[in-house]
Structure formats: C-alpha cells, structure tokens
Amino acid sequence: MDKSWISLVDRNSQECMDGYEQFLDFAYANNGTKEKIYCPCKECCNRFLKSREKVKGHLILNGFLNHYKNWIYHGESNTPSNCYEDNEERHKSFHDDMVGMVHDAFGIPNIDDAEAGNSSESTQVFGPNEETKSFFNLIKDAEQPLYPGCEKFTQLSFIVQMLSLKVMSGWTDKSFNLLLELLIEAFPEGVRLPNSYYKANKMTTDLDFTYKTWDACPNHCMLFKDENKDIGECVICHASRYKEDDSNDPNTSKNTIANKNGGKRVAAKQVRYFPLKVRLKRLFMSSKTSSLMTWHAKERINDGVLRHPADSQAWKAFDTKNSSFASEI
C-alpha cells in the first residue's frame, strides 16, 4: 500500500485527499460494525474516537501524523507478515490478540509452537515459579473458547471486554454479578464464565493492571497508610477517617469495628494510586508500545516548535541536570 502521501506538505493536494480516502476505507474495513475510529490527525494523535466525516475533516485541517505509517490502531499488523486471507481475519488478529497481550504483560517473546518446543522445555526455560504458573494459566484462558464451538471469543477475551464495559459504563459490582448470572444461564452448556465480579477481576490481576486504594482525610491533609494505617482520625485537623454514623470511637481500626448495619466501616474519602514503575515496565514490554517509548529521541522533529514535552524547557533542563539518565533514550 502506497503511503508516501503521509509525508506531503500540501495536505489539500489531490494525492493527500486520495490518501485520506484510502486510509478511511482501510480503517473501516477493519472496524467491524463500529461507527467511530481513532483519529490519526496531528491534534488527536489516535487518542479520540471520531466518525468518518470528522476524521476526514481533522486530517484536512490538521494533517496526518507523519510517523504513523504502520496503522496498528486501525487493523494493520504491528510487524510485517504474510497477507491475511481477508479483512475479518486481520480484524480478529489485531483486536483480539489475547495470547499476544499475555506474552507482552510477562515480557516473554511470543514465538510459534514449533519454535517453542514442548511444554516441559518451556517450563524449564521460564522456571516453575508463581509468575510462570500465572503465565501459563492466562495463556490457557486466552486459548480456550468461551463455550464449545464459540469462534468469536475466548474465555479471557470475553472477560477483558466485559470488564472494559463495566468501567466505561459505570456498572456497579452488583449489576456485573447479575449480568454474569444471566449470561451463564443464556449461553450454551459448558460456558466458561466466572460467576462474580471478584472472580472475573482475579483472572486479570496477574497482568498487573491494578491500583492501590488508601483512605484519606476528608480535608485532604493526609493518607491513612504505613504507620498511620490503623488510626481513625486525621493527625492534623482531627477529622474522622470514617463517615459520621460508622463509629463513636475514631481511634479504632477499621478492620475490627463494623458499622451499624454490620458491614465494614466506610471511609469518608479515598484515593486510588496507579503505581508508575509497573506501568512503565508494561509500556516497554509491549510490542505495540515499546517503539513509541523512544519516539522522542528517534523520530521527533527537533525544529524548535513545541509539539511534545521533549520540546519544552523543563524537559531540556532536566536532561542537562541529569545527563547520565538522559543519555539512555
């Protein structure tokens, strides 16, 4: 496919217009029945979903991302490979690559079975530890069909998409549990679905896409963690850690006192912390994002125009102060 039009300066030329149509035709051929795709203009940078008309308007107005020549967010394989038989197979391969996702999450190369050898050899390579067991369990879930004869979903791909819908739609845990119960009844016999949100979420915790939750002072003074994890009031403003009707004794641990209804005590405020290191590791492990982590040094246009944090004075000042760190792109 000719993509030379991406580098053209005149984005209103006929060659660019034809290129936009070529891109849109390709993207929608690999988008199933969805009405919106990620917009690859220089403003949106594949972050926002737009309709076909709006994407075309953005491309004419803002231009196409110069470095985006491997259309991985629109159905193209991340690495050169043999042509797929049809667009449906290409779509399935890109959007439902659960085995690839598991390999990326554990930093283990995704090689063909023929090259990998038998399972005992693989176990010897990776070692019989807990992480290895989690890896093989997830691979098993990623390869098992949702129910006997199901060709569209594996057990893991269906759970991942269900959890994604829960987050995007704001479903409660209870509504998720009720939906799972209904689906288990509705699907054919032999369906492989967990019966609760807790069990569904546990299947994906080994991918390390998790967060920590801490109780916080309702007036934003402090977090109840580390040496303060068991105290019941803020050491600065003395506000109660818990909602007013939970307990008359603010200094009692939340793990030992129940509220009037017999349940766990409810914190007045909480914060959720997403650990940085594990996310950086995942970005470098993933075959889909590792090349983007060095884009600032390898592909960024350094012409003095502020387009990226690397163009800012703050970034440059940090690099000057920490030359040893900055030398590793």
Side-chain angles (χ1 to χ4, degrees):
M1 189 182 298
D2 179 22
K3 298 178 183 176
S4 58
W5 54 270
I6 294 175
S7 304
L8 295 178
V9 176
D10 183 8
R11 53 179 176 263
N12 291 311
S13 66
Q14 187 58 49
E15 193 173 351
C16 270
M17 293 295 181
D18 292 342
Y20 299 153
E21 289 296 336
Q22 170 190 314
F23 163 76
L24 289 167
D25 288 343
F26 176 85
Y28 274 92
N30 291 282
N31 199 39
T33 58
K34 297 176 184 175
E35 296 180 358
K36 296 183 179 182
I37 60 171
Y38 286 104
C39 179
C41 79
K42 292 180 180 179
E43 291 293 323
C44 295
C45 299
N46 286 318
R47 292 175 297 165
F48 307 112
L49 291 166
K50 306 282 183 185
S51 65
R52 181 176 182 129
E53 292 74 19
K54 287 189 177 180
V55 170
K56 185 175 180 180
H58 276 216
L59 293 177
I60 295 171
L61 183 65
N62 304 319
F64 197 96
L65 277 173
N66 290 333
H67 67 276
Y68 187 51
K69 296 180 180 178
N70 190 6
W71 298 337
I72 59 173
Y73 299 110
H74 299 90
E76 189 168 18
S77 174
N78 192 42
T79 53
S81 59
N82 295 329
C83 292
Y84 292 100
E85 292 181 6
D86 53 43
N87 285 329
E88 183 179 354
E89 187 175 349
R90 185 198 301 268
H91 174 80
K92 180 179 179 182
S93 172
F94 176 74
H95 290 281
D96 194 17
D97 184 14
M98 291 294 115
V99 173
M101 180 183 72
V102 174
H103 277 275
D104 280 344
F106 283 83
I108 297 172
N110 189 0
I111 52 180
D112 294 334
D113 291 338
E115 297 175 7
N118 59 42
S119 58
S120 61
E121 288 175 349
S122 299
T123 305
Q124 289 172 7
V125 171
F126 301 126
N129 53 36
E130 288 304 314
E131 186 176 25
T132 304
K133 291 177 185 176
S134 299
F135 170 75
F136 284 117
N137 284 337
L138 281 169
I139 286 291
K140 182 180 177 183
D141 293 338
E143 293 176 337
Q144 290 224 359
L146 179 61
Y147 53 81
C150 179
E151 296 180 357
K152 290 188 176 181
F153 292 100
T154 64
Q155 182 183 17
L156 185 61
S157 72
F158 191 80
I159 290 300
V160 167
Q161 294 200 36
M162 285 279 289
L163 292 172
S164 177
L165 286 172
K166 180 184 186 299
V167 172
M168 291 189 295
S169 306
W171 298 348
T172 63
D173 293 359
K174 184 177 180 181
S175 66
F176 192 86
N177 291 341
L178 292 172
L179 179 59
L180 282 174
E181 290 175 11
L182 179 64
L183 291 174
I184 290 171
E185 282 191 40
F187 282 152
E189 188 176 346
V191 62
R192 298 179 179 90
L193 271 181
N195 58 10
S196 69
Y197 167 68
Y198 172 78
K199 290 181 179 178
N201 200 42
K202 203 169 185 300
M203 286 178 64
T204 62
T205 52
D206 289 323
L207 294 172
D208 248 346
F209 300 130
T210 55
Y211 59 85
K212 297 176 181 177
T213 303
W214 294 315
D215 292 352
C217 167
N219 297 318
H220 314 286
C221 301
M222 62 172 289
L223 298 175
F224 295 98
K225 61 187 287 280
D226 299 332
E227 68 274 9
N228 297 320
K229 64 186 174 81
D230 291 325
I231 64 175
E233 69 172 27
C234 176
V235 298
I236 299 169
C237 70
H238 302 292
S240 174
R241 173 179 183 168
Y242 306 105
K243 290 187 177 178
E244 291 181 3
D245 60 356
D246 284 337
S247 174
N248 294 321
D249 180 9
N251 291 308
T252 308
S253 169
K254 67 174 182 178
N255 297 318
T256 58
I257 295 295
N259 63 20
K260 291 178 182 179
N261 298 321
K264 288 184 179 179
R265 301 178 70 185
V266 180
K269 187 179 288 291
Q270 288 186 318
V271 295
R272 289 175 177 83
Y273 169 66
F274 296 83
L276 175 62
K277 287 183 180 179
V278 68
R279 272 157 180 76
L280 285 174
K281 285 169 66 178
R282 291 291 178 258
L283 287 170
F284 279 105
M285 284 177 176
S286 172
S287 59
K288 306 265 190 312
T289 55
S290 57
S291 61
L292 302 179
M293 297 301 289
T294 56
W295 177 87
H296 66 91
K298 290 183 176 179
E299 297 187 53
R300 179 174 59 92
I301 301 171
N302 192 7
D303 58 0
V305 178
L306 183 61
R307 299 188 183 90
H308 182 274
D311 298 316
S312 69
Q313 290 301 316
W315 185 298
K316 292 172 183 175
F318 181 89
D319 281 358
T320 303
K321 270 186 185 179
N322 305 276
S323 55
S324 176
F325 178 85
S327 66
E328 217 315 306
I329 63 171

